[in-house]
Amino acid sequence: MTYLLPQLVALDMDGTLLDAHGQLPADFSELQDLATARGCELVPASGRQLATLKDMFPKGETFIAENGSVIMRGGEIIAAFPLAESTVHAAREAAAAIEVEHTVVLCSPETAYVARDVSDAARTEIAKYYKAVTWVDDLDAVPDSNIIKIAIFCESGTEAHIYDPIVRAVPEDNVAVSGKVWLDVMARGVEKGMALTKLAELAGIPIAATVAFGDYLNDFEMLRAAGTAVAMENAHPQLKEIADIIAPANTNNGVSTVLRQLLRT
């Protein structure tokens, strides 16, 4: 099958672009140069916060951060989508009633608020995804306003222990299982697919000329929105069902392999 030469490529990070150690592929700089030469922009699209993505890609100017809750283009934040205060309150109440050990992270566009008394496992995970962290003695002291995402870490598994009670608490909002140990709550209609569509529109790029790479359920809408949907070999089965292409696993440099083919090298 022949695909359009991509003009905008959205790249999920963990389980997709990054290897098993959370590192960028060795040939990523070369891949960026190749994409630029073909008139194509590579856009990190992640559940990670904007500060983290900017640190990972110091030359980057366009990002989809916090699962679409924050969009940066040309080095400027062009959109941020806060949760309703009632949603923040309801989700936090539901989380507090969950008996399985878990950690709540309250995300604003600038920082992530986390209680100091979290487990070592939670601190390790938070350090991976949040460059800007504000540690507080009591999370209840953080205002419910200007929260763009609630992230919940559960080492025992978010799909099994966290998803159902949170969905019941905030059924009108977007609750996404973003990894085996992470769940994210965003405002209704806010997800990576919406952000990709918005970026393509602003750039004057037809959605048919976009490509999205992903591996987990928080990438579902992004793959569905893109002109060409690429799921990794290690992806959740639901992503593979809607994918146009199955790429080799992230541990086998799958993004580079498929992207080079799409760029027709």
Side-chain angles (χ1 to χ4, degrees):
M1 184 173 179
T2 302
Y3 298 96
L4 289 177
L5 185 68
Q7 297 178 46
L8 192 158
V9 176
L11 299 169
D12 174 56
M13 296 289 104
D14 299 279
T16 302
L17 179 63
L18 306 183
D19 64 19
H21 305 289
Q23 301 298 309
L24 288 168
D27 65 341
F28 185 70
S29 180
E30 178 186 333
L31 199 61
Q32 280 186 307
D33 291 342
L34 176 61
T36 299
R38 296 289 190 273
C40 175
E41 183 175 18
L42 304 186
V43 178
S46 176
R48 296 180 182 226
Q49 71 177 167
L50 182 59
T52 303
L53 293 177
K54 289 171 68 178
D55 184 66
M56 293 174 66
F57 302 92
K59 296 181 180 179
E61 293 190 335
T62 304
F63 300 99
I64 295 172
E66 305 279 21
N67 280 327
S69 294
V70 180
I71 307 171
M72 173 172 276
R73 182 170 184 257
E76 300 289 336
I77 293 177
I78 61 168
F81 306 95
L83 289 157
E85 291 186 36
S86 58
T87 294
V88 178
H89 181 73
R92 291 178 64 184
E93 276 201 334
I98 297 172
E99 295 183 356
V100 175
E101 184 176 356
H102 62 280
T103 298
V104 173
V105 181
L106 299 179
C107 306
S108 75
E110 299 79 22
T111 190
Y113 297 95
V114 191
R116 298 183 196 279
D117 60 343
V118 300
S119 67
D120 290 341
R123 281 184 177 269
T124 298
E125 279 290 303
I126 289 164
K128 288 182 187 177
Y129 305 115
Y130 297 94
K131 177 74 173 177
V133 178
T134 301
W135 298 96
V136 297
D137 293 326
D138 184 0
L139 207 59
D140 288 338
V142 178
D144 289 341
S145 59
N146 202 34
I147 300 300
I148 57 168
K149 188 186 78 175
I150 301 171
I152 302 176
F153 165 72
C154 177
E155 196 170 11
S156 299
T158 53
E159 199 166 1
H161 301 288
I162 308 296
Y163 181 79
D164 285 344
I166 298 299
V167 166
R168 286 196 297 269
V170 290
E172 299 300 319
D173 293 276
N174 182 15
V175 180
V177 177
S178 53
K180 292 180 180 179
V181 297
W182 283 102
L183 175 139
D184 294 323
V185 181
M186 289 79 62
R188 182 178 183 179
V190 175
E191 26 81 1
K192 293 183 184 181
M194 174 275 298
L196 174 61
T197 302
K198 179 78 170 177
L199 278 177
E201 179 184 330
L202 289 172
I205 294 172
I207 199 69
T210 66
V211 177
F213 286 79
D215 78 302
Y216 223 77
L217 294 175
N218 62 322
D219 301 316
F220 187 90
E221 292 89 352
M222 182 171 72
L223 264 65
R224 190 166 55 182
T228 301
V230 185
M232 311 307 290
E233 179 57 43
N234 51 287
H236 193 286
Q238 290 184 32
L239 261 70
K240 289 185 175 182
E241 289 178 3
I242 64 168
D244 299 301
I245 300 171
I246 304 297
N250 67 307
T251 53
N252 197 26
N253 211 13
V255 168
S256 180
T257 299
V258 171
L259 190 51
R260 288 176 184 276
Q261 293 171 356
L262 292 174
L263 293 170
R264 297 171 188 167
T265 61

